[in-house]
Amino acid sequence: MAHGLFSGLEVSMTENISENPSISSLLRIHYDKRFIPVARSFVEAQAPVLGIAEESARWLNLLVEESLAFVMEKYVDSRLDAHIELVFKLFDGGVAVIEITDIGPPIHEDRVPEFDLEDDASESGLWYKLVKDVADDFSFINQHKDGWLIRMEKKVAMDGERAGLDRDSAPEAKPSLADHRIRLATPGDAAELMDLAFLTYRYSYAADFYNKELLERAISRGTYEITVLDNGSAIVGAYVVIHPESGEKWAEIGSAMVLPEYRTTRAVMYLFRAMGEYMKENPRGLDYFTSHIVTSHTRSQKLLHKIQPPFKPLFLFPNMVPRPEFVGIKQGSEGRESLIWSFSLKRPLRQDVLYAPESRRAMLRELLDNTGHGDAVAIEEAYQEPAESESLLHVERVEQQGFAMVHLETMGADWFTAMAREIMAQLAKGIENIAVTIPTMSPPPPDMEKQLASINLLFSGIHLAAVDSLKLVYCLTTKPIDFENIHLHDPAAQKLLETMRTEYQALQRA
């Protein structure tokens, strides 16, 4: 199972601040007024570190104190596990945002009395008048099952230099690689490789890279062939060739890792050259290599296109994995990453005929021909009702990354019911994105495309299970697909993307 990669409310001021804060800190306190001074100190202590002027810090403290008093007065929750969460954020340009999450009773803004100095009955509305006057923007946000959010935004004066918090940034001076060497990792390198994975991806990568025993076992068995770049006595970079446990004749290349301070050196070039030499030698006699490449940029795609034979795209899996949290690289946004599954074929394709609906012929032909081996496969339109037998499904699930592959191994009369049931089961287990693969060595049912569209499965390309086993791929994602942020280098991949965009929009309208 592939699991690596190569690499309704509007707020008035939000349009003027950067997408990501320069600092974000969290405090959790109990529903007890004795903790209000703790929250006040939480903001006070950060102000001088962040360079916020003393007067601005006092206004922020007032916002926190009055809002927390309101939350605690309307509801006292004495449970030990009941907490109010306070998040403090500072954005470039000196905009502070305070967010208080309240899991108490619903907040009814229209029931907060308008404060009148001459009306004692309106005293409970004083806090509301104060925060509305002090904050540049204030709102209550209904988060439904997650409670309520009190959000305040204020422009603050800056009178000092912010403490250096960008510890991920690579130093300006380039370290020397004069004492470097390329070698294969041994089980004894597992601990250092764990550190390298963290210093590249934090904890956003595949789970087995943070488990010493699993990593040692994978290296010992040869399922992970890890090439490392040593510099002196330290590992500064690595890439991984992942072989399937089944022993099938293919491997995935990915998990490229380089320490942040070495990214401006020739480390990436040395690893890339070693990768090309490994694939050229092909010591295990593999039929093909695959790599699942990020689409938030095209740099990795262009790099792997230079390999001989080049990696060619066959399948786009939208929203496949959480966006990697690269150390030292500021990401434009959070969310999920769409991966383009690309293949470097070392042997010709050996499936003589691929059966598919006529509507897929042009796209399938383009993808196959783009590999350089498309002439070996004829694409034919034919249909037949499945045999009166049970369908066989095989499921691969990567829970940590929230995706699953549902493989239809044999298509029986119950194929759609069995597939839909399995998809629902995976969604119920928390899987967010699912790819379904359908064999093409025999004609599909005449209503296959209509059935798949009825449960919002989107055609996504070809899955190469083996050089003699090509499958159609359809994807289901629980979150909207951000097509504007999917960037593809190969023209065939771009055409696939546009086909998917058109069909996705049609599914949304249906």
Side-chain angles (χ1 to χ4, degrees):
M1 175 64 180
H3 60 282
L5 56 89
F6 199 78
S7 82
L9 254 154
E10 296 185 0
V11 201
S12 62
M13 290 180 63
T14 303
E15 295 178 357
N16 299 320
I17 61 179
S18 60
E19 187 174 358
N20 296 314
S22 58
I23 179 70
S24 177
S25 52
L26 168 69
L27 176 71
R28 301 177 75 192
I29 59 174
H30 291 291
Y31 279 79
D32 187 323
K33 285 191 174 182
R34 291 173 296 178
F35 283 92
I36 291 179
V38 176
R40 193 171 58 236
S41 299
F42 171 70
V43 175
E44 285 176 348
Q46 293 183 82
V49 175
L50 301 174
I52 297 174
E54 186 176 344
E55 182 179 357
S56 289
R58 284 199 294 270
W59 288 121
L60 295 176
N61 286 337
L62 176 65
L63 292 174
V64 168
E65 188 166 0
E66 293 296 332
S67 298
L68 286 177
F70 161 72
V71 167
M72 293 175 181
E73 283 174 359
K74 75 178 177 69
Y75 181 63
V76 176
D77 194 329
S78 59
R79 293 175 300 164
L80 184 63
D81 59 348
H83 294 97
I84 298 169
E85 289 192 353
L86 189 153
V87 176
F88 177 80
K89 302 175 183 178
L90 182 66
F91 292 81
D92 293 339
V95 176
V97 173
I98 296 169
E99 295 176 338
I100 297 173
T101 298
D102 171 28
I103 60 170
I107 296 174
H108 302 286
E109 188 171 4
D110 58 352
R111 295 184 188 176
V112 180
E114 184 176 347
F115 178 72
D116 184 345
L117 189 62
E118 298 180 358
D119 182 4
D120 292 342
S122 70
E123 183 179 355
S124 62
L126 175 59
W127 80 275
Y128 190 55
K129 175 176 173 53
L130 285 172
V131 297
K132 293 276 282 187
D133 288 346
V134 170
D136 296 313
D137 190 85
F138 177 89
S139 56
F140 295 116
I141 301 172
N142 185 350
Q143 300 188 117
H144 308 289
K145 65 182 180 63
D146 295 320
W148 288 79
L149 188 73
I150 300 175
R151 188 183 190 279
M152 297 161 281
E153 204 174 280
K154 184 168 181 61
K155 177 78 173 178
V156 294
M158 309 294 289
D159 68 356
E161 185 175 341
R162 182 169 69 88
L165 295 170
D166 295 328
R167 301 181 189 275
D168 293 342
S169 299
E172 292 183 7
K174 290 184 181 180
S176 170
L177 278 172
D179 194 22
H180 79 274
R181 66 170 178 147
I182 295 285
R183 64 174 177 84
L184 280 177
T186 68
D189 294 318
E192 198 169 354
L193 288 168
M194 288 173 62
D195 294 341
L196 179 63
F198 172 79
L199 291 170
T200 303
Y201 301 104
R202 291 193 179 91
Y203 287 114
S204 64
Y205 202 63
D208 47 3
F209 269 92
Y210 308 105
N211 185 307
K212 186 169 179 284
E213 289 73 24
L214 288 179
L215 198 50
E216 287 175 338
R217 190 179 310 138
I219 296 172
S220 296
R221 292 178 175 177
T223 51
Y224 278 13
E225 272 187 293
I226 304 179
T227 296
V228 300
L229 174 65
D230 270 343
N231 192 38
S233 59
I235 294 175
V236 302
Y239 77 87
V240 187
V241 180
I242 307 170
H243 298 272
E245 295 276 0
S246 63
E248 294 171 271
K249 305 291 282 184
W250 60 269
E252 178 190 349
I253 286 188
S255 308
M257 307 175 195
V258 175
L259 291 178
E261 61 268 31
Y262 281 87
R263 290 177 192 158
T264 57
T265 70
R266 297 169 70 85
V268 172
M269 188 199 73
Y270 291 145
L271 288 168
F272 178 67
R273 182 184 297 164
M275 181 190 304
E277 291 173 355
Y278 176 89
M279 291 178 60
K280 182 179 179 180
E281 293 172 6
N282 194 11
R284 298 200 190 184
L286 304 180
D287 292 337
Y288 65 87
F289 293 92
T290 182
S291 190
H292 309 156
I293 316 171
V294 297
T295 62
S296 51
H297 59 79
T298 60
R299 293 187 297 275
S300 300
Q301 299 170 47
K302 291 177 180 178
L303 195 66
L304 289 178
H305 188 76
K306 296 178 181 179
I307 293 282
Q308 294 301 319
F311 280 86
K312 294 292 187 174
L314 285 178
F315 161 36
L316 176 62
F317 196 155
N319 293 344
M320 178 176 164
V321 297
R323 185 153 290 134
E325 191 177 355
F326 294 107
V327 173
I329 301 175
K330 292 187 182 297
Q331 296 293 95
S333 62
E334 298 178 353
R336 296 186 71 84
E337 180 83 32
S338 300
L339 301 187
I340 186 75
W341 288 39
S342 299
F343 298 81
S344 172
L345 294 173
K346 306 294 286 186
R347 306 275 188 273
L349 296 171
R350 293 201 298 266
Q351 181 174 323
D352 297 334
V353 179
L354 184 156
Y355 290 99
E358 174 61 28
S359 60
R360 301 298 173 204
R361 179 189 291 269
M363 190 69 252
L364 294 172
R365 175 51 63 199
E366 177 129 5
L367 290 171
L368 289 172
D369 288 352
N370 194 42
T371 67
H373 297 282
D375 56 356
V377 184
I379 301 175
E380 294 188 7
E381 179 190 11
Y383 304 97
Q384 69 180 22
E385 292 294 344
E388 290 295 331
S389 59
E390 288 189 5
S391 300
L392 177 62
L393 296 173
H394 171 59
V395 179
E396 298 176 280
R397 183 172 64 248
V398 182
E399 293 183 17
Q400 184 214 19
Q401 296 180 330
F403 76 90
M405 302 280 291
V406 177
H407 301 286
L408 183 61
E409 302 291 353
T410 58
M411 183 179 285
D414 67 338
W415 73 274
F416 181 71
T417 302
M419 179 185 295
R421 186 186 301 119
E422 188 58 56
I423 289 172
M424 293 303 108
Q426 295 304 320
L427 294 175
K429 293 175 183 176
I431 292 299
E432 297 184 47
N433 303 283
I434 296 171
V436 170
T437 70
I438 298 180
T440 63
M441 286 185 282
S442 58
D447 63 346
M448 182 183 77
E449 293 265 308
K450 182 179 179 180
Q451 293 272 54
L452 297 175
S454 72
I455 55 173
N456 289 322
L457 280 165
L458 176 68
F459 174 73
S460 302
I462 301 171
H463 179 241
L464 183 58
V467 289
D468 59 353
S469 179
L470 303 172
K471 298 188 176 185
L472 302 184
V473 192
Y474 297 79
C475 287
L476 175 71
T477 176
T478 60
K479 291 183 172 61
I481 302 173
D482 185 1
F483 285 94
E484 295 302 320
N485 282 319
I486 298 177
H487 305 287
L488 299 170
H489 169 65
D490 191 287
Q494 294 169 5
K495 187 169 182 179
L496 174 63
L497 178 66
E498 289 311 309
T499 298
M500 292 174 63
R501 188 203 301 261
T502 300
E503 295 189 13
Y504 179 77
Q505 292 170 347
L507 286 174
Q508 298 302 105
R509 292 192 299 267

